[in-house]
Amino acid sequence: TGGRGDGGAIWAGDLLVTGSLSIEDAQAVLGNGGGIAVQSMEVAAGATVRLLRVSSASQGAGILCNTALACRGELLVEDARSPLGSAVVVLGAMRLENAVVADARVP
């Protein structure tokens, strides 16, 4: 998938994941949040979010979240590329219980 603005695969206000969400080969060609760009995001207990081979032209190769990211489930970001920001960018509060970021590259 590839979005020209923010959110290569998902662009939303508030995102609640209660099951399984897997995004592979997503790219924000001209924007932020290669896999997901949201206002706020919550991964419920027992839920899984997996992002693999994601990239953005700006910030948040995997996820760009404007206000809050809460993860009580599992969050995995692997093989993330971004020239200006991290694999996960949260502009507000971030609360993680089980997260892994592997092979993230910012030149």
Side-chain angles (χ1 to χ4, degrees), residues 83-102:
L84 300 176
S86 302
V88 177
V89 172
V90 179
L91 302 177
M94 181 164 59
R95 193 176 64 234
L96 303 174
E97 290 184 21
N98 190 12
V100 174
V101 176

Side-chain angles (χ1 to χ4, degrees), residues 31-91:
N32 303 295
I36 299 171
V38 292
Q39 191 67 22
S40 68
M41 180 174 168
E42 179 179 350
V43 181
T48 301
V49 174
R50 180 177 170 265
L51 293 100
L52 176 62
R53 292 182 308 276
V54 289
S55 64
S56 70
S58 190
Q59 298 183 44
I63 299 171
L64 173 72
C65 189
N66 285 325
T67 59
L69 171 62
C71 179
R72 292 184 323 247
E74 182 177 309
L75 173 62
L76 170 67
V77 181
E78 188 174 349
D79 194 6
R81 306 283 186 268
S82 176
L84 300 176
S86 302
V88 177
V89 172
V90 179
L91 302 177

